[in-house]
Amino acid sequence: MTLIRVVMVAPDMAEPEHTALLLKCYTKLKDFTTLEEFLKTTPPSQYDHATAIEVLESAAYHGLAAEVAQKVGSHDDFVRISLEQFKNYGTTVQFLHSLPRVEAGRILLNYGRTLMRHAPKETVKLIRHVCNLRGQPMDGQALQAESQGPTVDELLPVFADDLQQLEVFLRSVLVDDGCQLPQAQAERLFPTLLELLVKSHSSLHADGNIPAEKQEMASCIAADIMRLIRQYPSDAALANTLMVCQAFGFVDGFFHAAERLHRHQLLMQWCFEHKDAKRLLEVCKRYGPADQSLWVQALSFLASPESGGGHLEEMGEVLRHIEDSDLMPLLLVIETLRSSNEVTIGDVRPYLQAQYRRLVESAETSRAKSTQDRQEIARMQQEIIQLRTQAKEFQNTRCFQCGLTLEVPAVHFFCGHSYHAYCVPPDGTCPKCSSGALPKLSLKEQREAQARNAEDFFKYLQGGAGDSGIQAMGEWCKFGAFDASMASMDLEDEED
Ligand SMILES: [Zn+2]
Ligand SMILES: [Zn+2]
């Protein structure tokens, strides 16, 4: 044994085997005092540290092993022995406080979960220290120091067993006193905190409702969530928010994100699924100006049996809007309302009355135009009679079509135009006059048909307006009451 000690004292000759041999001898002899004496007096450079700690531990001299580990700066071993053998959670945390932040962070990753389980408060404090969170937003200098230590997201595994603690911690870092982290880092942590908060919010629900005694807590969390969400307006963060809030049924956050991302179709879908007519109306009001089809969708939904009924007030508002912006033809509205079992004529009377007034106006203008056309026809007929009975002189010397001097054979029309025979089109009409005549004729027919059509419809509308009126009216439309070709046939009959 003396020989071994001599060998070891000689510089640079301490091999692991020598250390092991010597210490094993001491431990075998159970000579604690000499062993302690040796470790105290021998400089650490003269024996192999890892072997020394290993031998001492295997001989159950844990106190000595810890001392050696601390003396030689083997922090991992010291922390491991302190936790496993002595359960010194508080002092271990204090010890880590004294280490450089990078080193403390590295050890925390290995032993943080144990510390968190037994001394959560102290450990969180340590993490704040290691990540350089001083409870103040950081300036440039602090940021530089920050880059040396571990970041908060690197230390998240420490919280793996205690999500409650993680929620409290992240809340304190990101929300409570404003964000204490650089933006990029905060944005990486944001989804984690959001999910935790939304989860705990949804855990307060029982059977879809929040019990009265938890209302205050729930609204507090909800306010925090909204505050948090508003801090991260980037598209990626919003997409994340959308997903998390939808998954855990946090409606306000879901609406906020979907609105910012302009996913209003998603919101409509949500309203349909949850039969939420109030929110549906809000969505329509907000996005209707950009996408008018939302109103039409809303009406179809409210009238359909899937809506569950009882939304007459909202339906009235939707109808009012459809009417103001003239989004749907009357017949389509009636068709849509037919699918509803509960809507009666009485419910949509204001809408129908307004439509009625509008149709009356358009019928009146049509009628006025039709009268005008009839007068013109009469005048033309008069002219034809004159042409038939009176002789007409043709003094044109040039063809109206090509402009060259007229020569035989020439064609003269009653309208006063003359052409070369070969300049007249194959249908034999006057090229100058016939081009304007045909459209006019069809226009006249169209106007008359319109006027007659509306008259019939109003007669019906005023006559029978019972509670099942919409159904009947729909049928009436179905059989082609508004078919333009039928109406024009009537007109021809009359003229005959
Ligand atoms: Zn000609
Ligand atoms: Zn002519």
Side-chain angles (χ1 to χ4, degrees), residues 413-419 430-434:
F413 285 96
F414 278 112
C415 53
H417 296 122
S418 304
Y419 304 92
C430 169
K432 290 275 170 206
C433 302
S434 66

Side-chain angles (χ1 to χ4, degrees), residues 397-421:
T397 54
R398 288 180 183 280
C399 169
F400 272 85
Q401 185 72 351
C402 65
L404 299 176
T405 315
L406 272 180
E407 52 198 44
V408 188
V411 177
H412 305 283
F413 285 96
F414 278 112
C415 53
H417 296 122
S418 304
Y419 304 92
H420 294 115

Side-chain angles (χ1 to χ4, degrees), residues 93-148:
V93 172
Q94 272 172 12
F95 168 71
L96 289 173
H97 260 285
S98 67
L99 294 181
R101 292 192 289 111
V102 180
E103 176 76 354
R106 192 181 58 73
I107 295 174
L108 255 180
L109 272 179
N110 289 331
Y111 300 100
R113 287 170 72 169
T114 317
L115 287 172
M116 186 62 80
R117 219 171 303 135
H118 297 282
K121 261 194 192 141
E122 292 83 349
T123 311
V124 169
K125 221 167 144 191
L126 175 65
I127 290 175
R128 297 186 76 95
H129 161 77
V130 166
C131 298
N132 203 16
L133 302 172
R134 298 206 184 82
Q136 291 283 321
M138 277 179 286
D139 54 20
Q141 205 181 0
L143 256 171
Q144 215 172 11
E146 164 72 9
S147 61
Q148 294 163 12

Side-chain angles (χ1 to χ4, degrees), residues 1-10 22 25-26:
M1 203 149 78
T2 321
L3 174 70
I4 299 168
R5 279 200 73 164
V6 169
V7 169
M8 287 183 64
V9 168
L22 177 69
C25 290
Y26 280 135

Side-chain angles (χ1 to χ4, degrees), residues 320-340:
R320 207 157 38 245
H321 187 90
I322 287 179
E323 179 197 335
D324 289 346
S325 313
D326 199 12
L327 295 177
M328 277 168 95
L330 172 64
L331 294 184
L332 197 58
V333 172
I334 293 173
E335 271 294 324
T336 308
L337 294 180
R338 275 182 72 208
S339 56
S340 167

Side-chain angles (χ1 to χ4, degrees), residues 28-262:
K28 273 268 159 58
L29 293 169
K30 303 217 181 302
D31 191 350
F32 184 78
T33 333
T34 328
L35 184 57
E36 204 182 9
E37 182 68 26
F38 166 76
L39 290 171
K40 253 193 194 135
T41 51
T42 319
S45 62
Q46 288 188 8
Y47 55 89
D48 182 69
H49 310 145
T51 320
I53 295 169
E54 194 188 316
V55 171
L56 289 171
E57 274 203 282
S58 63
Y61 287 125
H62 298 296
L64 278 179
E67 260 176 51
V68 172
Q70 192 171 14
K71 194 158 83 178
V72 304
S74 176
H75 304 134
D76 273 294
D77 284 321
F78 177 71
V79 170
R80 180 174 52 77
I81 298 168
S82 302
L83 294 181
E84 282 173 7
Q85 304 302 332
F86 301 105
K87 323 258 179 238
N88 283 335
Y89 305 111
T91 45
T92 307
V93 172
Q94 272 172 12
F95 168 71
L96 289 173
H97 260 285
S98 67
L99 294 181
R101 292 192 289 111
V102 180
E103 176 76 354
R106 192 181 58 73
I107 295 174
L108 255 180
L109 272 179
N110 289 331
Y111 300 100
R113 287 170 72 169
T114 317
L115 287 172
M116 186 62 80
R117 219 171 303 135
H118 297 282
K121 261 194 192 141
E122 292 83 349
T123 311
V124 169
K125 221 167 144 191
L126 175 65
I127 290 175
R128 297 186 76 95
H129 161 77
V130 166
C131 298
N132 203 16
L133 302 172
R134 298 206 184 82
Q136 291 283 321
M138 277 179 286
D139 54 20
Q141 205 181 0
L143 256 171
Q144 215 172 11
E146 164 72 9
S147 61
Q148 294 163 12
T151 55
V152 174
D153 49 336
E154 281 166 3
L155 289 179
L156 285 189
V158 173
F159 291 94
D161 301 325
D162 196 344
L163 295 180
Q164 191 64 39
Q165 200 66 244
L166 177 61
E167 184 183 326
V168 173
F169 172 65
L170 286 180
R171 231 166 133 170
S172 74
V173 174
L174 292 177
V175 188
D176 288 349
D177 312 303
C179 181
Q180 300 168 21
L181 292 172
Q183 182 66 24
Q185 206 189 122
E187 196 146 342
R188 282 204 300 277
L189 290 171
F190 157 73
T192 313
L193 176 58
L194 178 68
E195 190 175 333
L196 288 169
L197 285 174
V198 171
K199 252 188 200 165
S200 41
H201 184 264
S202 79
S203 71
L204 294 175
H205 287 247
D207 309 326
N209 286 312
I210 303 173
E213 71 273 14
K214 290 181 181 167
Q215 285 284 359
E216 198 182 333
M217 197 169 152
S219 62
C220 175
I221 297 181
D224 268 2
I225 296 176
M226 290 314 290
R227 199 140 52 93
L228 181 72
I229 291 174
R230 290 203 184 91
Q231 284 176 19
Y232 301 93
S234 75
D235 273 8
L238 284 172
N240 224 313
T241 307
L242 189 71
M243 199 180 66
V244 171
C245 291
Q246 193 173 21
F248 293 97
F250 185 69
V251 182
D252 289 344
F254 173 70
F255 268 70
H256 174 87
E259 280 170 12
R260 291 295 145 92
L261 291 169
H262 305 291

